[in-house]
């Protein structure tokens, strides 16, 4: 069902940052606050939507649709496969990261931007490398599940 790529090293770095930043900076990013507040009201539905539904929808939007658009609008300067892979990963990662910053009024959002953007770049790279949306969905689901587990353990 899920095949392909490495990535647990980057996965664990993302989780370490996500876990330590609230203690260092004293606040959660708005996106995380929203999820935690919803979890208090309806834990099962929130866990289901954050760990299963959101990664599926986000990977289709940010990876599959974008790759399809990139193929349709291919430019000559992107003939090198390496350029395509990294261009795809970086552009989708930046968009993914910025979409997850829900409030532009709090400076703490800027601290979290590199975490979301690097996660987005990593997921984009994995998808492009494996050409299988299920692989990036799997890692996205694992990331969200690990975040849930860590928030309630610590």
């Amino acid at each position: 069902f899920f095949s392909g790529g490495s990535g647990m090293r980057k996965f664990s770095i993302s989780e370490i940052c996500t876990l330590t930043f609230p203690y260092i900076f004293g606040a959660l990013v708005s996106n995380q606050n929203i999820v935690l507040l919803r979890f208090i009201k309806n834990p099962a539905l929130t866990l289901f939507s954050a760990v299963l539904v959101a990664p599926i929808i986000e990977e289709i939007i940010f990876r599959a649709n974008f790759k399809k658009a990139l193929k349709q609008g291919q430019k000559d300067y992107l003939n090198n496969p390496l350029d395509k892979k990294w261009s795809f990963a970086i552009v989708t990662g930046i968009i993914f990261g910025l979409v997850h910053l829900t409030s532009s009024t709090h400076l703490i959002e800027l601290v979290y931007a590199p975490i979301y953007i690097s996660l987005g770049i990593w997921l984009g790279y994995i998808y492009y490398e494996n050409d299988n949306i299920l692989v990036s969905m799997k890692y996205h689901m694992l990331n969200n599940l690990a975040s849930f587990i860590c928030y309630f353990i610590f």
Side-chain angles (χ1 to χ4, degrees):
F1 179 67
F2 293 118
S3 63
S6 65
M8 291 312 289
R9 182 175 21 149
K10 289 180 181 148
F11 173 75
S12 61
I13 290 169
S14 171
E15 288 310 308
I16 290 168
C17 291
T18 302
L19 289 173
T20 57
F21 276 31
Y23 298 107
I24 294 169
F25 298 103
L28 290 173
V29 72
S30 299
N31 182 56
Q32 292 168 329
N33 278 328
I34 292 167
V35 172
L36 290 175
L37 290 173
R38 287 182 183 163
F39 185 81
I40 292 167
K41 291 181 180 180
N42 193 335
L45 182 61
T46 304
L47 190 61
F48 175 76
S49 65
V51 174
L52 294 174
V53 177
I56 291 169
I57 293 170
E58 289 177 359
E59 291 306 307
I60 290 170
I61 291 171
F62 293 111
R63 275 15 115 200
N65 287 340
F66 194 87
K67 191 171 183 184
K68 190 183 301 181
L70 181 67
K71 283 182 178 179
Q72 290 172 351
Q74 254 176 1
K75 302 289 183 198
D76 291 334
Y77 63 86
L78 286 178
N79 282 336
N80 182 342
L82 184 62
D83 291 343
K84 288 179 188 176
K85 182 189 311 181
W86 283 108
S87 296
F88 175 81
I90 291 168
V91 170
T92 60
I94 290 170
I95 295 168
F96 175 86
L98 294 177
V99 166
H100 281 78
L101 303 178
T102 57
S103 170
S104 60
T105 60
H106 294 90
L107 289 177
I108 193 67
E109 300 282 336
L110 298 177
V111 172
Y112 280 87
I115 295 171
Y116 283 119
I117 291 170
S118 63
L119 176 64
I121 290 171
W122 175 63
L123 290 169
Y125 180 87
I126 287 172
Y127 171 59
Y128 201 98
E129 184 72 17
N130 292 284
D131 199 28
N132 184 345
I133 196 70
L134 296 177
V135 177
S136 60
M137 283 179 186
K138 173 186 75 170
Y139 283 112
H140 197 153
M141 289 174 188
L142 286 172
N143 177 75
N144 289 6
L145 178 62
S147 293
F148 259 100
I149 291 169
C150 291
Y151 284 126
F152 295 104
I153 289 175
F154 300 106

